[in-house]
């Protein structure tokens, strides 16, 4: 699966709801406690791949990040949901 396709699926899942994004754990429940993807109410970039059942999409997606992996990008101190969305939008449009 192409990185742009994966990015579009992630953007669709997040929508404009910043509460669906998290840091420090792949997935969290409604109380903010780390949980399995199937129970998640919020997910980091890696966790949303698990949630959507598209773990194979992580390989082309991670090539679009300067950081070592998407978890490092997601969990960088000070990172915001707006920055995550902008990066995903660029990938969805075919940019890195």
């Amino acid at each position: 699966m192409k990185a742009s396709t994966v990015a579009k699926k992630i953007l669709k899942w997040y929508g404009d709801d910043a509460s669906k994004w998290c840091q420090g754990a792949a997935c969290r429940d409604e109380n903010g406690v780390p949980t399995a993807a199937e129970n998640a109410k919020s997910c980091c970039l890696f966790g949303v791949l698990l949630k959507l059942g598209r773990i194979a999409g992580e390989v082309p997606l991670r090539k679009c990040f300067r950081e070592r992996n998407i978890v490092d990008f997601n969990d960088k101190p000070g990172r915001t949901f707006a920055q995550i969305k902008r990066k995903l939008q660029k990938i969805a449009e075919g940019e890195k």
Side-chain angles (χ1 to χ4, degrees), residues 58-93:
E58 195 264 342
V59 175
L61 190 64
R62 80 172 145 194
K63 292 178 183 176
C64 300
F65 293 86
R66 276 186 261 233
E67 282 80 357
R68 197 170 126 238
N69 62 46
I70 62 176
V71 174
D72 291 343
F73 180 83
N74 186 88
D75 288 351
K76 183 176 180 178
R79 181 74 65 209
T80 67
F81 179 64
Q83 291 170 319
I84 295 291
K85 282 194 65 174
R86 274 195 302 275
K87 181 66 174 178
L88 289 168
Q89 287 164 341
K90 285 182 178 183
I91 295 168
E93 294 167 1

Side-chain angles (χ1 to χ4, degrees), residues 17-38:
D17 188 352
S19 72
K20 291 179 104 178
W21 175 70
C22 68
Q23 291 180 294
C27 300
R28 295 184 183 274
D29 67 14
E30 61 277 352
N31 297 312
V33 177
T35 190
E38 59 269 12

Side-chain angles (χ1 to χ4, degrees), residues 36-49:
E38 59 269 12
N39 302 321
K41 299 298 181 199
S42 64
C43 300
C44 77
L45 282 172
F46 179 73
V48 75
L49 292 169

